[in-house]
Amino acid sequence: MESAIGVLVSKFKAYAGSDGSSDTLSRDEFRSLVTLELPSFVKNAGDPTAMDQLMSSLDENNDGELNFLEFWQLIGHLACKHGGFSQ
Amino acid sequence: MESAIGVLVSKFKAYAGSDGSSDTLSRDEFRSLVTLELPSFVKNAGDPTAMDQLMSSLDENNDGELNFLEFWQLIGHLACKHGGFSQ
């Protein structure tokens, strides 16, 4: 489990580090991550409007960026769906 | 990323399926999971009182079990600490 958690942390850092703060995902970084890393979990990754809505729904402090815990909420819901658990 | 998420889901299911509902972790299932799967992320896994407190802090609906999303909060905080992000 720990190595799987490590993968998620290092992937987040890789994308978060592309521009601006390396602790948060900008809109572009978020889109790249979802498109390249979550192709089967997020079906409409190619739809910019859907991605903007998804990001806004996660951006709890409305700073236009996703910090790790905000991002973690998305992964949790995707994992929940993937596992067939009720949300 | 998707395979790492898959690992976390299947590990949760493996432990949640031992007794009672296979969608939730009982106290014993939670202790086994933390002790065996998160040995370096959770230092006091061997301390029953600490584990009970940890589980109670996560058990948002107070049903004595951890559903997947309650469990996911723990993993998120461990991942946050592991990644050196502010919580």
Side-chain angles (χ1 to χ4, degrees):
Chain A
M1 239 172 185
E2 290 181 347
S3 57
I5 293 168
V7 165
L8 296 175
V9 169
S10 52
K11 287 281 186 182
F12 175 89
K13 284 187 169 186
Y15 286 87
S18 325
D19 65 46
S21 157
S22 61
D23 276 352
T24 57
L25 292 172
S26 65
R27 201 162 292 272
D28 290 342
E29 290 167 339
F30 174 71
R31 245 188 247 155
S32 310
L33 184 152
V34 171
T35 308
L36 298 172
E37 299 294 337
L38 303 168
S40 54
F41 280 19
V42 179
K43 294 295 180 206
N44 50 7
D47 174 352
T49 313
M51 285 301 97
D52 284 352
Q53 281 167 355
L54 180 55
M55 180 156 175
S56 305
S57 70
L58 296 167
D59 183 13
E60 288 172 12
N61 60 5
N62 294 311
D63 63 355
E65 301 263 322
L66 288 189
N67 65 33
F68 184 78
L69 281 179
E70 288 169 337
F71 165 75
W72 193 259
Q73 299 310 317
L74 166 66
I75 302 292
H77 290 295
L78 295 176
C80 223
K81 222 166 70 177
H82 177 68
F85 300 109
S86 55
Q87 298 214 29
Chain B
M1 240 174 182
E2 290 181 347
S3 55
I5 293 168
V7 165
L8 295 175
V9 168
S10 51
K11 287 281 187 182
F12 176 88
K13 285 188 169 184
Y15 285 87
S18 322
D19 65 47
S21 157
S22 62
D23 274 352
T24 57
L25 292 172
S26 65
R27 201 163 291 271
D28 290 342
E29 291 167 338
F30 174 72
R31 247 190 242 153
S32 309
L33 184 152
V34 171
T35 308
L36 299 172
E37 300 293 338
L38 304 168
S40 55
F41 280 20
V42 179
K43 295 291 180 210
N44 49 7
D47 173 354
T49 313
M51 284 301 97
D52 284 352
Q53 281 167 352
L54 180 56
M55 180 154 177
S56 305
S57 69
L58 296 165
D59 182 13
E60 288 171 11
N61 61 3
N62 293 314
D63 64 353
E65 302 264 322
L66 288 189
N67 64 32
F68 184 78
L69 281 179
E70 288 168 337
F71 166 75
W72 194 258
Q73 299 309 317
L74 166 67
I75 303 291
H77 290 293
L78 295 176
C80 222
K81 221 165 72 175
H82 178 69
F85 300 109
S86 54
Q87 300 216 27

Tab-separated table of all heavy atoms in Angstrom, chain B residues 11-60:
chain	number	residue	atom	x	y	z
B	11	LYS	N	-6.579	-3.710	-1.927
B	11	LYS	CA	-6.098	-3.978	-0.567
B	11	LYS	C	-7.214	-3.704	0.451
B	11	LYS	O	-7.440	-4.488	1.367
B	11	LYS	CB	-4.886	-3.096	-0.242
B	11	LYS	CG	-3.617	-3.512	-0.961
B	11	LYS	CD	-2.950	-4.706	-0.292
B	11	LYS	CE	-1.601	-4.999	-0.905
B	11	LYS	NZ	-0.937	-6.177	-0.311
B	12	PHE	N	-7.909	-2.602	0.261
B	12	PHE	CA	-9.028	-2.296	1.184
B	12	PHE	C	-10.031	-3.443	1.159
B	12	PHE	O	-10.454	-3.946	2.201
B	12	PHE	CB	-9.713	-0.987	0.771
B	12	PHE	CG	-10.931	-0.644	1.599
B	12	PHE	CD1	-10.822	0.081	2.782
B	12	PHE	CD2	-12.199	-1.079	1.209
B	12	PHE	CE1	-11.937	0.373	3.562
B	12	PHE	CE2	-13.327	-0.785	1.971
B	12	PHE	CZ	-13.192	-0.067	3.146
B	13	LYS	N	-10.396	-3.886	-0.030
B	13	LYS	CA	-11.391	-4.971	-0.173
B	13	LYS	C	-10.900	-6.260	0.486
B	13	LYS	O	-11.663	-6.985	1.121
B	13	LYS	CB	-11.704	-5.219	-1.650
B	13	LYS	CG	-12.596	-4.161	-2.264
B	13	LYS	CD	-13.031	-4.552	-3.669
B	13	LYS	CE	-14.124	-3.623	-4.170
B	13	LYS	NZ	-14.648	-4.018	-5.488
B	14	ALA	N	-9.603	-6.533	0.339
B	14	ALA	CA	-9.054	-7.768	0.909
B	14	ALA	C	-9.232	-7.769	2.426
B	14	ALA	O	-9.690	-8.762	3.018
B	14	ALA	CB	-7.578	-7.894	0.547
B	15	TYR	N	-8.924	-6.648	3.062
B	15	TYR	CA	-9.038	-6.596	4.529
B	15	TYR	C	-10.503	-6.438	4.950
B	15	TYR	O	-10.939	-7.021	5.943
B	15	TYR	CB	-8.192	-5.450	5.094
B	15	TYR	CG	-6.713	-5.763	5.094
B	15	TYR	CD1	-5.922	-5.504	3.971
B	15	TYR	CD2	-6.105	-6.356	6.193
B	15	TYR	CE1	-4.577	-5.817	3.948
B	15	TYR	CE2	-4.753	-6.684	6.178
B	15	TYR	CZ	-3.997	-6.405	5.056
B	15	TYR	OH	-2.656	-6.741	5.027
B	16	ALA	N	-11.263	-5.668	4.191
B	16	ALA	CA	-12.674	-5.417	4.576
B	16	ALA	C	-13.505	-6.697	4.473
B	16	ALA	O	-14.535	-6.832	5.115
B	16	ALA	CB	-13.256	-4.337	3.684
B	17	GLY	N	-13.017	-7.625	3.668
B	17	GLY	CA	-13.801	-8.841	3.435
B	17	GLY	C	-13.610	-9.915	4.487
B	17	GLY	O	-14.257	-10.956	4.448
B	18	SER	N	-12.697	-9.685	5.438
B	18	SER	CA	-12.398	-10.763	6.394
B	18	SER	C	-13.605	-11.104	7.252
B	18	SER	O	-13.923	-12.253	7.465
B	18	SER	CB	-11.234	-10.376	7.327
B	18	SER	OG	-10.267	-9.653	6.632
B	19	ASP	N	-14.260	-10.092	7.836
B	19	ASP	CA	-15.441	-10.409	8.668
B	19	ASP	C	-16.518	-9.349	8.422
B	19	ASP	O	-16.236	-8.275	7.921
B	19	ASP	CB	-15.060	-10.445	10.161
B	19	ASP	CG	-14.614	-9.073	10.684
B	19	ASP	OD1	-15.299	-8.071	10.402
B	19	ASP	OD2	-13.568	-8.993	11.320
B	20	GLY	N	-17.746	-9.678	8.783
B	20	GLY	CA	-18.854	-8.725	8.669
B	20	GLY	C	-19.010	-8.224	7.246
B	20	GLY	O	-18.746	-8.947	6.283
B	21	SER	N	-19.386	-6.957	7.138
B	21	SER	CA	-19.628	-6.367	5.815
B	21	SER	C	-18.324	-6.308	5.032
B	21	SER	O	-17.260	-5.989	5.575
B	21	SER	CB	-20.173	-4.943	5.964
B	21	SER	OG	-19.909	-4.215	4.775
B	22	SER	N	-18.386	-6.609	3.743
B	22	SER	CA	-17.147	-6.585	2.945
B	22	SER	C	-16.918	-5.205	2.339
B	22	SER	O	-16.027	-5.025	1.520
B	22	SER	CB	-17.231	-7.648	1.844
B	22	SER	OG	-18.321	-7.330	0.995
B	23	ASP	N	-17.746	-4.249	2.720
B	23	ASP	CA	-17.559	-2.884	2.235
B	23	ASP	C	-16.942	-1.974	3.288
B	23	ASP	O	-16.649	-0.817	3.013
B	23	ASP	CB	-18.928	-2.271	1.844
B	23	ASP	CG	-19.300	-2.641	0.416
B	23	ASP	OD1	-18.432	-3.217	-0.270
B	23	ASP	OD2	-20.439	-2.372	0.009
B	24	THR	N	-16.798	-2.526	4.523
B	24	THR	CA	-16.263	-1.676	5.593
B	24	THR	C	-15.199	-2.416	6.400
B	24	THR	O	-15.187	-3.659	6.422
B	24	THR	CB	-17.393	-1.270	6.567
B	24	THR	OG1	-18.007	-2.457	7.072
B	24	THR	CG2	-18.429	-0.398	5.902
B	25	LEU	N	-14.347	-1.658	7.029
B	25	LEU	CA	-13.322	-2.225	7.900
B	25	LEU	C	-13.835	-2.228	9.339
B	25	LEU	O	-14.229	-1.175	9.866
B	25	LEU	CB	-12.047	-1.375	7.839
B	25	LEU	CG	-11.245	-1.359	6.550
B	25	LEU	CD1	-10.143	-0.307	6.635
B	25	LEU	CD2	-10.648	-2.728	6.253
B	26	SER	N	-13.817	-3.400	9.959
B	26	SER	CA	-14.100	-3.465	11.391
B	26	SER	C	-12.835	-3.017	12.134
B	26	SER	O	-11.780	-2.818	11.526
B	26	SER	CB	-14.413	-4.917	11.788
B	26	SER	OG	-13.237	-5.710	11.601
B	27	ARG	N	-12.929	-2.903	13.448
B	27	ARG	CA	-11.768	-2.481	14.261
B	27	ARG	C	-10.592	-3.439	14.039
B	27	ARG	O	-9.479	-3.004	13.794
B	27	ARG	CB	-12.202	-2.458	15.737
B	27	ARG	CG	-11.359	-1.595	16.653
B	27	ARG	CD	-12.101	-1.307	17.966
B	27	ARG	NE	-13.246	-0.416	17.710
B	27	ARG	CZ	-13.165	0.924	17.745
B	27	ARG	NH1	-12.015	1.507	18.005
B	27	ARG	NH2	-14.219	1.676	17.508
B	28	ASP	N	-10.878	-4.744	14.042
B	28	ASP	CA	-9.791	-5.715	13.873
B	28	ASP	C	-9.202	-5.655	12.469
B	28	ASP	O	-7.993	-5.710	12.281
B	28	ASP	CB	-10.323	-7.141	14.160
B	28	ASP	CG	-10.632	-7.350	15.639
B	28	ASP	OD1	-10.117	-6.533	16.451
B	28	ASP	OD2	-11.382	-8.284	15.975
B	29	GLU	N	-10.088	-5.531	11.461
B	29	GLU	CA	-9.609	-5.448	10.073
B	29	GLU	C	-8.747	-4.210	9.882
B	29	GLU	O	-7.716	-4.233	9.207
B	29	GLU	CB	-10.810	-5.425	9.105
B	29	GLU	CG	-11.575	-6.736	9.037
B	29	GLU	CD	-12.908	-6.590	8.338
B	29	GLU	OE1	-13.458	-5.462	8.251
B	29	GLU	OE2	-13.438	-7.629	7.869
B	30	PHE	N	-9.191	-3.109	10.512
B	30	PHE	CA	-8.438	-1.845	10.409
B	30	PHE	C	-7.055	-2.021	11.025
B	30	PHE	O	-6.038	-1.655	10.424
B	30	PHE	CB	-9.211	-0.729	11.120
B	30	PHE	CG	-8.474	0.576	11.206
B	30	PHE	CD1	-8.292	1.351	10.069
B	30	PHE	CD2	-7.962	1.039	12.417
B	30	PHE	CE1	-7.621	2.569	10.130
B	30	PHE	CE2	-7.290	2.263	12.494
B	30	PHE	CZ	-7.120	3.024	11.355
B	31	ARG	N	-7.016	-2.654	12.207
B	31	ARG	CA	-5.716	-2.839	12.895
B	31	ARG	C	-4.793	-3.714	12.049
B	31	ARG	O	-3.602	-3.408	11.897
B	31	ARG	CB	-5.949	-3.468	14.278
B	31	ARG	CG	-5.588	-2.465	15.379
B	31	ARG	CD	-5.589	-3.146	16.738
B	31	ARG	NE	-6.619	-2.495	17.550
B	31	ARG	CZ	-7.261	-3.101	18.547
B	31	ARG	NH1	-7.010	-4.378	18.844
B	31	ARG	NH2	-8.173	-2.453	19.238
B	32	SER	N	-5.338	-4.787	11.465
B	32	SER	CA	-4.487	-5.661	10.633
B	32	SER	C	-3.952	-4.888	9.442
B	32	SER	O	-2.764	-4.944	9.126
B	32	SER	CB	-5.296	-6.856	10.103
B	32	SER	OG	-5.964	-7.514	11.115
B	33	LEU	N	-4.825	-4.138	8.789
B	33	LEU	CA	-4.409	-3.394	7.593
B	33	LEU	C	-3.291	-2.421	7.945
B	33	LEU	O	-2.250	-2.372	7.302
B	33	LEU	CB	-5.596	-2.651	6.987
B	33	LEU	CG	-5.339	-1.911	5.682
B	33	LEU	CD1	-6.625	-1.814	4.860
B	33	LEU	CD2	-4.800	-0.504	5.897
B	34	VAL	N	-3.503	-1.627	8.986
B	34	VAL	CA	-2.517	-0.599	9.346
B	34	VAL	C	-1.191	-1.262	9.738
B	34	VAL	O	-0.115	-0.850	9.285
B	34	VAL	CB	-3.044	0.281	10.498
B	34	VAL	CG1	-1.944	1.212	11.020
B	34	VAL	CG2	-4.230	1.116	10.037
B	35	THR	N	-1.279	-2.331	10.529
B	35	THR	CA	-0.055	-2.998	11.006
B	35	THR	C	0.720	-3.626	9.851
B	35	THR	O	1.940	-3.470	9.751
B	35	THR	CB	-0.428	-4.095	12.033
B	35	THR	OG1	-1.269	-3.528	13.036
B	35	THR	CG2	0.820	-4.707	12.661
B	36	LEU	N	0.009	-4.292	8.951
B	36	LEU	CA	0.688	-5.047	7.885
B	36	LEU	C	1.002	-4.206	6.651
B	36	LEU	O	1.988	-4.448	5.958
B	36	LEU	CB	-0.173	-6.261	7.501
B	36	LEU	CG	-0.429	-7.262	8.623
B	36	LEU	CD1	-1.446	-8.314	8.188
B	36	LEU	CD2	0.879	-7.914	9.050
B	37	GLU	N	0.139	-3.205	6.353
B	37	GLU	CA	0.290	-2.479	5.089
B	37	GLU	C	0.905	-1.090	5.227
B	37	GLU	O	1.393	-0.528	4.239
B	37	GLU	CB	-1.095	-2.325	4.419
B	37	GLU	CG	-1.785	-3.635	4.095
B	37	GLU	CD	-1.062	-4.426	3.009
B	37	GLU	OE1	-0.307	-3.823	2.230
B	37	GLU	OE2	-1.245	-5.664	2.978
B	38	LEU	N	0.848	-0.532	6.415
B	38	LEU	CA	1.338	0.846	6.600
B	38	LEU	C	2.376	0.934	7.730
B	38	LEU	O	2.367	1.880	8.522
B	38	LEU	CB	0.143	1.781	6.881
B	38	LEU	CG	-0.968	1.790	5.842
B	38	LEU	CD1	-2.203	2.518	6.378
B	38	LEU	CD2	-0.498	2.442	4.544
B	39	PRO	N	3.324	-0.048	7.780
B	39	PRO	CA	4.248	-0.106	8.917
B	39	PRO	C	5.131	1.124	9.079
B	39	PRO	O	5.423	1.555	10.195
B	39	PRO	CB	5.096	-1.347	8.628
B	39	PRO	CG	4.990	-1.555	7.155
B	39	PRO	CD	3.643	-1.060	6.766
B	40	SER	N	5.528	1.751	7.946
B	40	SER	CA	6.414	2.913	8.125
B	40	SER	C	5.612	4.218	8.130
B	40	SER	O	6.081	5.232	8.634
B	40	SER	CB	7.491	2.949	7.042
B	40	SER	OG	6.903	2.910	5.771
B	41	PHE	N	4.393	4.204	7.611
B	41	PHE	CA	3.589	5.437	7.599
B	41	PHE	C	2.875	5.647	8.942
B	41	PHE	O	2.611	6.783	9.323
B	41	PHE	CB	2.532	5.357	6.488
B	41	PHE	CG	3.084	5.667	5.102
B	41	PHE	CD1	4.446	5.592	4.831
B	41	PHE	CD2	2.220	6.002	4.075
B	41	PHE	CE1	4.945	5.867	3.566
B	41	PHE	CE2	2.720	6.282	2.792
B	41	PHE	CZ	4.084	6.205	2.535
B	42	VAL	N	2.553	4.529	9.639
B	42	VAL	CA	1.859	4.659	10.929
B	42	VAL	C	2.743	4.017	11.989
B	42	VAL	O	2.827	2.792	12.096
B	42	VAL	CB	0.466	3.979	10.899
B	42	VAL	CG1	-0.223	4.120	12.256
B	42	VAL	CG2	-0.396	4.589	9.799
B	43	LYS	N	3.423	4.849	12.760
B	43	LYS	CA	4.458	4.355	13.679
B	43	LYS	C	3.875	3.567	14.852
B	43	LYS	O	4.453	2.615	15.322
B	43	LYS	CB	5.273	5.538	14.216
B	43	LYS	CG	6.057	6.259	13.120
B	43	LYS	CD	7.187	5.405	12.563
B	43	LYS	CE	7.962	6.141	11.480
B	43	LYS	NZ	8.526	5.203	10.470
B	44	ASN	N	2.708	3.992	15.386
B	44	ASN	CA	2.207	3.357	16.613
B	44	ASN	C	1.137	2.305	16.319
B	44	ASN	O	0.205	2.132	17.100
B	44	ASN	CB	1.656	4.438	17.550
B	44	ASN	CG	0.699	5.382	16.814
B	44	ASN	OD1	0.377	5.132	15.647
B	44	ASN	ND2	0.276	6.427	17.470
B	45	ALA	N	1.307	1.619	15.192
B	45	ALA	CA	0.295	0.625	14.799
B	45	ALA	C	0.137	-0.468	15.860
B	45	ALA	O	-0.909	-1.074	16.009
B	45	ALA	CB	0.680	0.005	13.462
B	46	GLY	N	1.176	-0.695	16.648
B	46	GLY	CA	1.110	-1.755	17.647
B	46	GLY	C	0.412	-1.345	18.923
B	46	GLY	O	0.168	-2.159	19.820
B	47	ASP	N	0.059	-0.061	19.023
B	47	ASP	CA	-0.579	0.458	20.250
B	47	ASP	C	-2.100	0.465	20.084
B	47	ASP	O	-2.645	1.327	19.385
B	47	ASP	CB	-0.054	1.891	20.497
B	47	ASP	CG	-0.779	2.586	21.649
B	47	ASP	OD1	-1.767	2.011	22.181
B	47	ASP	OD2	-0.367	3.705	21.996
B	48	PRO	N	-2.827	-0.523	20.717
B	48	PRO	CA	-4.276	-0.649	20.512
B	48	PRO	C	-5.044	0.631	20.811
B	48	PRO	O	-5.955	1.015	20.086
B	48	PRO	CB	-4.687	-1.770	21.469
B	48	PRO	CG	-3.438	-2.477	21.842
B	48	PRO	CD	-2.317	-1.517	21.668
B	49	THR	N	-4.627	1.353	21.854
B	49	THR	CA	-5.343	2.586	22.223
B	49	THR	C	-5.201	3.628	21.120
B	49	THR	O	-6.177	4.258	20.716
B	49	THR	CB	-4.778	3.147	23.548
B	49	THR	OG1	-4.673	2.091	24.478
B	49	THR	CG2	-5.642	4.272	24.071
B	50	ALA	N	-3.973	3.754	20.610
B	50	ALA	CA	-3.731	4.732	19.528
B	50	ALA	C	-4.538	4.350	18.288
B	50	ALA	O	-5.136	5.211	17.642
B	50	ALA	CB	-2.236	4.773	19.193
B	51	MET	N	-4.616	3.047	18.016
B	51	MET	CA	-5.361	2.602	16.837
B	51	MET	C	-6.848	2.859	17.013
B	51	MET	O	-7.530	3.285	16.107
B	51	MET	CB	-5.130	1.092	16.606
B	51	MET	CG	-3.782	0.757	16.007
B	51	MET	SD	-3.490	1.551	14.407
B	51	MET	CE	-2.536	2.965	14.921
B	52	ASP	N	-7.358	2.636	18.230
B	52	ASP	CA	-8.782	2.904	18.496
B	52	ASP	C	-9.075	4.389	18.325
B	52	ASP	O	-10.076	4.775	17.722
B	52	ASP	CB	-9.155	2.450	19.912
B	52	ASP	CG	-9.293	0.932	20.003
B	52	ASP	OD1	-9.248	0.279	18.923
B	52	ASP	OD2	-9.402	0.404	21.124
B	53	GLN	N	-8.152	5.229	18.816
B	53	GLN	CA	-8.359	6.684	18.691
B	53	GLN	C	-8.321	7.094	17.218
B	53	GLN	O	-9.154	7.871	16.753
B	53	GLN	CB	-7.282	7.445	19.474
B	53	GLN	CG	-7.541	7.487	20.975
B	53	GLN	CD	-6.329	7.969	21.749
B	53	GLN	OE1	-5.225	8.148	21.185
B	53	GLN	NE2	-6.507	8.168	23.056
B	54	LEU	N	-7.360	6.510	16.490
B	54	LEU	CA	-7.233	6.843	15.059
B	54	LEU	C	-8.513	6.445	14.334
B	54	LEU	O	-9.086	7.225	13.569
B	54	LEU	CB	-6.025	6.105	14.464
B	54	LEU	CG	-5.744	6.325	12.971
B	54	LEU	CD1	-5.578	7.802	12.648
B	54	LEU	CD2	-4.494	5.526	12.548
B	55	MET	N	-8.990	5.229	14.625
B	55	MET	CA	-10.205	4.758	13.945
B	55	MET	C	-11.407	5.637	14.309
B	55	MET	O	-12.165	6.049	13.436
B	55	MET	CB	-10.503	3.303	14.320
B	55	MET	CG	-11.750	2.766	13.648
B	55	MET	SD	-11.736	0.991	13.447
B	55	MET	CE	-13.374	0.747	12.737
B	56	SER	N	-11.543	5.976	15.590
B	56	SER	CA	-12.687	6.816	16.003
B	56	SER	C	-12.628	8.170	15.318
B	56	SER	O	-13.662	8.718	14.913
B	56	SER	CB	-12.687	6.984	17.523
B	56	SER	OG	-12.666	5.708	18.132
B	57	SER	N	-11.416	8.687	15.140
B	57	SER	CA	-11.295	10.021	14.507
B	57	SER	C	-11.719	9.982	13.040
B	57	SER	O	-12.137	10.968	12.466
B	57	SER	CB	-9.844	10.514	14.619
B	57	SER	OG	-8.998	9.718	13.773
B	58	LEU	N	-11.620	8.794	12.440
B	58	LEU	CA	-11.966	8.660	11.017
B	58	LEU	C	-13.427	8.258	10.819
B	58	LEU	O	-14.012	8.505	9.763
B	58	LEU	CB	-11.072	7.583	10.379
B	58	LEU	CG	-9.578	7.881	10.349
B	58	LEU	CD1	-8.790	6.603	10.037
B	58	LEU	CD2	-9.263	8.966	9.342
B	59	ASP	N	-13.982	7.600	11.857
B	59	ASP	CA	-15.331	7.016	11.748
B	59	ASP	C	-16.394	8.111	11.844
B	59	ASP	O	-17.076	8.271	12.861
B	59	ASP	CB	-15.519	5.977	12.870
B	59	ASP	CG	-16.872	5.282	12.791
B	59	ASP	OD1	-17.555	5.415	11.749
B	59	ASP	OD2	-17.255	4.620	13.772
B	60	GLU	N	-16.552	8.871	10.746
B	60	GLU	CA	-17.397	10.078	10.763
B	60	GLU	C	-18.856	9.758	11.095
B	60	GLU	O	-19.540	10.519	11.758
B	60	GLU	CB	-17.298	10.798	9.411
B	60	GLU	CG	-15.931	11.480	9.246
B	60	GLU	CD	-15.700	12.035	7.831
B	60	GLU	OE1	-16.666	12.076	7.039
B	60	GLU	OE2	-14.546	12.392	7.520
